[in-house]
Amino acid sequence: MRVLYYDCFSGISGDMNLGAMIDLGVNEDYLLKELCKLHLHGYRIEVKKDEKKGITGTKVNVILEDHLNNEHDHGHKHDNEHSGGHEHNDGHKHEDHHVHHHHRNLKDIEEIIYNSKLNSRVKELSMKIFEKVAEAEAKVHGKSLYDVHFHEVGAVDSIVDIVGAAICYDYLNVDKVISAPIELGKGFVNCAHGTFPVPAPATTEILKGIPIKKGTIPFEATTPTGAAILATLVSEYKEDFSFNIDKIGYGIGFKDEGNIPNVLRVFLGEVQHNQDVYVLECNIDDMNPEIYPYVMDKLMEAGALDVYLTPTIMKKGRPGINLSVLYNIESEDKVKNLVLKETTTLGFRKYRVQRECLDRSIEHIDTPYGKIKIKNAYLNGEKVKCKPEYEDVKSIAEREGISFNEVYNGVLKELNK
């Protein structure tokens, strides 16, 4: 199982996450090209190697157009996301060609994302992250979800950070994201509520139910954007975790206070393939069929490794469905609760099985239709099979108005070359 592991010993922000992803191996040109599909103007992205207290990594700086020639910025990222939907304390407001960013609401963000040519997975994941922020802001301000104005989190640089996170996650195509407890830092931040202790109100709401640490870092270490990225992507939080490390990425931040470097460390690796997992099963003959896709999606979000349905004949000759869920023991409580809450079953059975998987890798190849993701599988270090990613083939077929098989076979020809 391929895993992405976040070590947030110095917190996380949107730009630190992008830096860590590029340092980990996400192709910089691919990321920038995908971000151009948003059709946002008024910014440029600076990517460079940098270091903090001897740790070398990648720094990403989203520079807004009306600050490109502003001497007081000196090329640094405009630090406007620290308080989520709150006003930035220097009073600067930025614009793009559509709308003042501090007036954007969730509907505005939806239009920008869903009107783009990003693939459906990136669109859906981006919106899930934004919805985390919107839900937190709605709670803090006592408003409905669509009445919340995002202020700085609706700014161009924060849109880039969030959509960029979704693009990077899609590019890496991991099976699971795990994180250590998240360092929040200490001190105070200036926001629309006045001077407020760390963590900011939106960050606090986003991280409810998530393991945190507080006080090691002498500044606001985790921003609402960083918190929302983790709250959306991560399915499990643990300090001690055994896996084989393939790559390590460092995202360099912009803070210099204290002895601990302002760096986000991320690992890409493989969990031992011969592993004990569990299967939960139940037979259902009285549930609306429209509910099954919803339940399956929720189970996958909860950490299930696989979910599938099998038609069956139950007692008294009634047709039914056998719902099967494959999961790790760490996800058991979430899986059990979802099955009992979201389906009509009154109980279930479970048993332990051993799962074996081939080693896998993802590569991007050039085709007549553009870059496409290829999934490779290895046995004892030798590649034994490969295939185009289904969602990429589907997206190209829909975009070009041609059949799925035509795209799929065309990609296979390129592979055979």
Side-chain angles (χ1 to χ4, degrees):
M1 179 171 62
R2 196 163 176 79
V3 296
L4 186 64
Y5 183 77
Y6 279 88
D7 183 13
C8 305
F9 66 87
S10 188
I12 179 174
S13 63
D15 57 274
M16 290 168 71
N17 181 65
L18 288 183
M21 293 297 101
I22 292 173
D23 209 58
L24 197 64
V26 172
N27 184 276
E28 177 186 337
D29 292 336
Y30 175 82
L31 173 61
L32 298 180
K33 183 179 178 181
E34 290 296 296
L35 285 170
C36 286
K37 294 178 180 179
L38 289 170
H39 301 297
L40 289 175
H41 302 291
Y43 77 98
R44 68 176 173 85
I45 298 178
E46 179 182 81
V47 179
K48 64 179 182 180
K49 284 292 183 180
D50 206 342
E51 63 89 23
K52 287 285 182 184
K53 303 187 185 303
I55 302 297
T56 302
T58 300
K59 178 182 280 188
V60 173
N61 192 2
V62 183
I63 305 173
L64 303 182
E65 195 170 72
D66 50 351
H67 275 199
L68 294 182
N69 298 313
N70 192 332
E71 290 183 359
H72 86 270
D73 277 300
H74 302 295
H76 295 299
K77 179 180 174 71
H78 191 56
D79 188 14
N80 63 3
E81 67 163 327
H82 66 83
S83 54
H86 317 307
E87 297 295 337
H88 178 37
N89 59 10
D90 71 3
H92 286 294
K93 308 295 179 188
H94 306 298
E95 302 176 13
D96 64 28
H97 67 303
H98 284 304
V99 62
H100 289 72
H101 73 259
H102 56 286
H103 289 158
R104 282 200 185 98
N105 59 23
L106 195 59
K107 184 66 175 176
D108 299 319
I109 301 296
E110 283 179 348
E111 289 179 359
I112 291 171
I113 291 174
Y114 284 121
N115 288 337
S116 75
K117 292 186 177 180
L118 293 164
N119 72 51
S120 59
R121 298 185 306 279
V122 170
K123 290 178 181 179
E124 290 168 8
L125 184 56
S126 298
M127 285 309 306
K128 284 182 180 180
I129 299 172
F130 269 110
E131 284 164 5
K132 289 282 185 186
V133 182
E135 289 166 0
E137 289 297 331
K139 179 70 178 297
V140 170
H141 295 291
K143 296 183 177 181
S144 67
L145 201 63
Y146 281 87
D147 286 335
V148 172
H149 288 93
F150 279 92
H151 301 289
E152 269 66 27
V153 177
V156 171
D157 50 351
S158 292
I159 294 173
V160 168
D161 286 344
I162 288 175
V163 177
I167 293 168
C168 292
Y169 174 79
D170 180 63
Y171 182 96
L172 293 173
N173 198 34
V174 295
D175 299 302
K176 189 174 186 178
V177 182
I178 301 172
S179 175
I182 304 162
E183 173 63 49
L184 302 184
K186 63 182 178 180
F188 293 83
V189 292
N190 295 323
C191 57
H193 309 287
T195 301
F196 215 86
V198 171
T203 307
T204 306
E205 286 296 325
I206 293 168
L207 293 178
K208 282 196 301 188
I210 292 175
I212 62 168
K213 297 178 180 179
K214 192 174 185 295
T216 304
I217 307 299
F219 51 81
E220 184 188 33
T222 296
T223 66
T225 297
I229 290 168
L230 291 180
T232 305
L233 296 181
V234 176
S235 58
E236 188 177 353
Y237 295 87
K238 58 168 69 173
E239 191 95 61
D240 299 320
F241 180 51
S242 299
F243 66 108
N244 298 322
I245 299 173
D246 291 335
K247 296 180 181 178
I248 306 170
Y250 294 94
I252 306 297
F254 288 80
K255 303 288 189 179
D256 290 308
E257 298 95 322
N259 295 321
I260 298 175
N262 186 210
V263 170
L264 171 65
R265 181 166 61 176
V266 183
F267 300 90
L268 189 64
E270 291 280 344
V271 175
Q272 184 179 0
H273 300 303
N274 297 335
Q275 53 180 307
D276 286 340
V277 295
Y278 291 80
V279 175
L280 180 151
E281 291 183 342
C282 59
N283 294 337
I284 303 172
D285 65 357
D286 58 351
M287 192 167 85
N288 182 344
E290 293 178 329
I291 300 175
Y292 285 108
Y294 171 80
V295 172
M296 296 172 77
D297 287 344
K298 296 293 285 185
L299 286 167
M300 293 300 292
E301 290 174 8
L305 302 172
D306 196 9
V307 183
Y308 54 96
L309 306 176
T310 306
T312 186
I313 302 298
M314 298 175 58
K315 61 186 178 184
K316 300 180 182 178
R318 291 193 300 240
I321 293 292
N322 177 270
L323 170 65
S324 301
V325 187
L326 186 70
Y327 63 93
N328 288 314
I329 191 63
E330 295 87 356
S331 304
E332 183 166 273
D333 287 343
K334 289 182 180 179
V335 168
K336 287 164 52 176
N337 290 339
L338 273 168
V339 169
L340 293 174
K341 180 181 177 181
E342 298 288 358
T343 75
T344 57
T345 190
L346 298 177
F348 55 81
R349 56 195 172 273
K350 71 168 188 176
Y351 50 91
R352 186 167 63 184
V353 298
Q354 190 172 76
R355 185 186 190 220
E356 296 189 15
C357 302
L358 294 173
D359 291 325
R360 283 167 289 173
S361 72
I362 298 296
E363 65 175 320
H364 292 72
I365 68 167
D366 291 314
T367 75
Y369 314 106
K371 281 190 179 294
I372 193 165
K373 194 179 297 179
I374 303 297
K375 185 180 292 184
N376 301 310
Y378 302 85
L379 179 62
N380 299 324
E382 180 184 353
K383 185 160 73 172
V384 292
K385 59 188 73 174
C386 63
K387 67 174 185 176
E389 183 69 27
Y390 167 81
E391 290 291 348
D392 284 5
V393 176
K394 174 186 172 185
S395 178
I396 290 170
E398 291 174 344
R399 185 187 71 213
E400 301 293 335
I402 55 181
S403 73
F404 183 95
N405 282 335
E406 183 177 346
V407 179
Y408 194 92
N409 292 332
V411 175
L412 289 180
K413 288 181 180 179
E414 293 296 321
L415 287 173
N416 290 332
K417 290 180 181 179

